[in-house]
Each structure stands twice: as structure tokens, then as C-alpha cells.
């Protein structure tokens, strides 16, 4: 378990430094702040997606799948607005929005009663 935690943290940090490119010698405050916002937003989003995936195994989700699918769609729109306010860069939030959409598709396809 701890190996996955360390590997996930390493991938998140390396991914943020490769997406947000800055001069490594000058340590520009703007670049550091942008990386920090991106890392914080991605970690919060990963925690919420984990809760979503765990919730998809519950009996409550199985009984009202269509209602939850619609709620997830509205939640996706809300997260788009929130992430665009926090990060302020559409190009940076694109991978996070893809993560939300892929998780939503995974939860919908994996449901037992979905026709």
C-alpha cells in the first residue's frame, strides 16, 4: 500500500513539473505557485474520485443509478467551474477534466443494473 502512495506522489510531482515548465535555476514565484495549485487540485480531485469509486459499490448507488448518473453530470460541470477558478488555466485543467469524465464512465459502465 505504501509503495502505491509513494509512486503516486512521485508521478504527481513529476507530472506537474513536466506540464508547468519553468526555468529551474531562477525558481520563479509564479511558476512555483502554479505548480502548487495544480498539485493541490489534483490531490483533492484524486481523493474525491476515490470516494466516488468506493460509493459505486454501495447498495444505494445500485438502487438509484440513474439519479446518481445525472447528479454526476451536474457535478462534473460544477468541478469544471471550480477548477477553472482555482487553477485559472484551461490547458492545465484539461487532464483533470478527462480524469473526472473517465471515472464517471467507469462508474456508469461498471454498474450492475445499467441497461
Amino acid at each position: 500500500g505504501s509503495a502505491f502512495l509513494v509512486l503516486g506522489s512521485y508521478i504527481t510531482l513529476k507530472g506537474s513539473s513536466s506540464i508547468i515548465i519553468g526555468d529551474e535555476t531562477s525558481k520563479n514565484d509564479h511558476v512555483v505557485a502554479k505548480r502548487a495549485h495544480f498539485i493541490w487540485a489534483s490531490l483533492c480531485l484524486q481523493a474525491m474520485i476515490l470516494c466516488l469509486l468506493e460509493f459505486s459499490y454501495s447498495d444505494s448507488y445500485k438502487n438509484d443509478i440513474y439519479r446518481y448518473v445525472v447528479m454526476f453530470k451536474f457535478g462534473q460541470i460544477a468541478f469544471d467551474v471550480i477548477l477553472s477558478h482555482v487553477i485559472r488555466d484551461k490547458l492545465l485543467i484539461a487532464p483533470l477534466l478527462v480524469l473526472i469524465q473517465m471515472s464517471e464512465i467507469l462508474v456508469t459502465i461498471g454498474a450492475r443494473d445499467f441497461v
Side-chain angles (χ1 to χ4, degrees):
S2 61
F4 285 124
L5 180 66
V6 170
L7 183 64
S9 300
Y10 177 75
I11 289 172
T12 302
L13 292 175
K14 281 305 209 183
S16 70
S17 63
S18 67
I19 289 175
I20 304 169
I21 300 171
D23 189 11
E24 293 297 326
T25 59
S26 67
K27 295 293 183 192
N28 191 359
D29 287 338
H30 177 68
V31 173
V32 171
K34 191 179 270 193
R35 281 184 189 162
H37 278 105
F38 182 75
I39 290 171
W40 178 249
S42 64
L43 290 176
C44 289
L45 186 64
Q46 288 171 13
M48 286 187 252
I49 294 293
L50 178 66
C51 292
L52 171 73
L53 292 174
E54 290 293 327
F55 176 71
S56 70
Y57 291 112
S58 70
D59 289 330
S60 176
Y61 180 77
K62 184 179 83 170
N63 293 335
D64 289 331
I65 184 171
Y66 298 111
R67 182 177 299 154
Y68 287 117
V69 167
V70 171
M71 286 173 38
F72 292 156
K73 291 289 183 188
F74 285 122
Q76 180 181 359
I77 295 168
F79 276 123
D80 184 9
V81 171
I82 291 169
L83 285 174
S84 65
H85 265 301
V86 170
I87 296 179
R88 295 189 179 117
D89 192 358
K90 287 288 190 183
L91 191 58
L92 284 180
I93 65 170
L96 301 177
L97 294 177
V98 169
L99 173 69
I100 293 172
Q101 186 143 17
M102 293 302 291
S103 300
E104 182 181 327
I105 291 170
L106 180 70
V107 166
T108 304
I109 290 174
R112 289 185 217 152
D113 294 341
F114 189 74
V115 177

